[in-house]
Amino acid sequence: NAGVTQTPKFRILKIGQSMTLQCAQDMNHNYMYWYRQDPGMGLKLIYYSVGAGITDKGEVPNGYNVSRSTTEDFPLRLELAAPSQTSVYFCASSGQKNEKLFFGSGTQLSVL
Amino acid sequence: AQSVTQLGSHVSVSEGALVLLRCNYSSSVPPYLFWYVQYPNQGLQLLLKYTSAATLVKGINGFEAEFKKSETSFHLTKPSAHMSDAAEYFCAVSESGSARQLTFGSGTQLTVLP
C-alpha cells in the first residue's frame, strides 16, 4: 500500500540550480497534481494532469515544468531555482476529478 | 470567485474537551466543501466532504462538520479531543467539485494539551 511516493524528502538548492521532484503513485489514478505550501498559507496548485501525455497549468505555474509520460509518474522540474521557490511541495492523485485526493508526504525545498 | 477563511491559525484544547475549528467560505454557486488533516511529516488526508446531500457531515476519527448556508460556514467539531488529534487542519472549497479547482484555507494548527 505505497500510495503516493515523493522523493526526495528534503533538498537544499543554490540559486540558479535545477532539480526534479519525483512523484509516483501505484493506484492507477488518472489525475495527478502538484501543490506548494508556503508558511501560513494554504496549498496552491502548480500543475495538474488528467492522464498520460496531458498536463495543464494551475494557479502558480511560473518557474516550473511537468511531464506525464506514464500513468504512474508525474515529475516536477525546477529549471532555475529562485528563493521564492522555497516551499513544501506536495504531489497528489485521484481516480476521478471529483474523488478525494491522496497526498504524498511532501518535499521540503530550500533555495539559498 | 471562491475563497476560504479559517479563523485562528492556532487552537489549543485540553484532552477530552470540545474541538471547534472555524471555516467560512465564499462562493458564487453552491459549493463543495472539504476538511483535510495533515499529521506531522505526512501528506494531507481527507477528513470529510460536503456535497449538498446533508448539512451535517460525519467524517473519520469522530469529526463532523455542519454546513450553514446563512452563515457561509463549515465549522469542524469533535466532542472530545484526543492527543492523536494534534495536527494541522485545512478547510477547502470547490465550486465545481473538481480537485483542480480546490481553494485551500491557510490552516489551523490544533494542539491537544494533557
Side-chain angles (χ1 to χ4, degrees):
Chain A
N1 288 343
V4 179
T5 303
Q6 288 184 240
T7 56
K9 291 191 180 301
F10 303 94
R11 185 73 185 268
I12 298 175
L13 285 181
K14 295 182 179 179
I15 295 171
Q17 287 185 321
S18 62
M19 77 163 293
T20 300
L21 282 66
Q22 301 291 345
C23 176
Q25 52 91 9
D26 62 359
M27 297 172 283
N28 201 32
H29 283 170
N30 288 322
Y31 292 77
M32 296 188 74
Y33 312 84
W34 273 106
Y35 291 92
R36 60 177 288 171
Q37 181 184 23
D38 298 324
M41 305 286 286
L43 278 71
K44 302 286 187 183
L45 182 63
I46 304 171
Y47 271 95
Y48 67 95
S49 169
V50 301
I54 306 170
T55 63
D56 207 347
K57 296 177 180 178
E59 184 180 358
V60 289
N62 291 343
Y64 307 94
N65 280 299
V66 294
S67 60
R68 185 94 182 270
S69 57
T70 67
T71 299
E72 295 78 19
D73 300 300
F74 191 41
L76 177 72
R77 177 111 181 129
L78 284 71
E79 291 294 349
L80 290 170
S84 60
Q85 294 178 304
T86 294
S87 189
V88 180
Y89 292 84
F90 287 101
C91 179
S93 72
S94 64
Q96 298 297 327
K97 66 177 182 178
N98 291 345
E99 290 186 357
K100 73 174 184 179
L101 294 170
F102 291 81
F103 282 84
S105 56
T107 295
Q108 187 167 331
L109 176 67
S110 295
V111 182
L112 305 176
Chain B
Q2 59 190 31
S3 67
V4 174
T5 301
Q6 290 185 241
L7 296 176
S9 57
H10 291 84
V11 170
S12 293
V13 299
S14 298
E15 191 173 19
L18 171 72
V19 176
L20 170 61
L21 305 182
R22 300 179 186 275
C23 173
N24 288 89
Y25 70 91
S26 69
S27 174
S28 56
V29 300
Y32 294 81
L33 293 160
F34 307 80
W35 276 100
Y36 279 85
V37 60
Q38 183 180 21
Y39 298 105
N41 301 315
Q42 295 185 27
L44 281 70
Q45 303 173 33
L46 182 67
L47 264 182
L48 50 81
K49 174 182 178 180
Y50 167 75
T51 59
S52 78
T55 57
L56 184 62
V57 182
K58 295 188 182 297
I60 61 173
N61 301 336
F63 283 92
E64 62 183 34
E66 185 172 9
F67 172 70
K68 292 187 176 180
K69 183 179 178 180
S70 61
E71 298 177 7
T72 60
S73 68
F74 191 57
H75 302 331
L76 182 71
T77 61
K78 182 175 181 179
S80 177
H82 191 273
M83 297 297 288
S84 61
D85 295 326
E88 188 153 22
Y89 293 80
F90 293 91
C91 183
V93 63
S94 173
E95 291 183 343
S96 67
S98 170
R100 67 181 176 88
Q101 293 175 325
L102 269 176
T103 297
F104 284 87
S106 54
T108 297
Q109 181 68 48
L110 176 67
T111 300
V112 182
L113 305 170

